[in-house]
Structure formats: structure tokens, C-alpha cells
Amino acid sequence: MYVGIDVTTTALFNGARGARLAGLASLIECGPLPARRGTHEPFKELITRLENALVLQQHRPGALPRHAPISISGPRGGSGA
């Protein structure tokens, strides 16, 4: 998951490795997703839903949402995971 990175204007998907990454990725364009909105935590809720949708082996449920604050601590809230 790449958050806060404009992958359409970067060289991330260029070349042989980039083509392989692009083949495995789906682009979902959205506006800014705040860490908090009132009593809700939209980013953490997104991470929780993502974790629940993935089949992860040797993974403790709740580990990804617990790290959500770290995930948005990159430049301008950007992160890649």
C-alpha cells in the first residue's frame, strides 16, 4: 500500500521491476484521509478493514491498526508499506 504518494507521476512503476509492481497493484485515487475526524479515525479504520480483508499467515490480528500512527508519520502523511 502506498499512501500519500502520487504514483502516476513518479518513476515507481517504470522499468521491468516497476512493470511487475504495476501488475500486482490496483490504483485507488482518493483525497486526503485524515488521521482523526471528531471521534472517528478514518485512516485507522481503513487499515483495520485492509487487515481484515487480507489472508496473513503468522500475523496477530490488530497489529496493522496498532501501527497506523507510524504509517502516516512520513512526509506530508505519506507512507509505503
Side-chain angles (χ1 to χ4, degrees), residues 44-62:
K44 189 172 184 179
E45 292 165 9
L46 171 69
I47 297 300
T48 300
R49 288 184 187 124
L50 177 67
E51 179 185 58
N52 291 337
L54 296 173
V55 178
L56 302 170
Q57 299 204 4
Q58 299 181 344
H59 175 74
R60 262 185 259 152

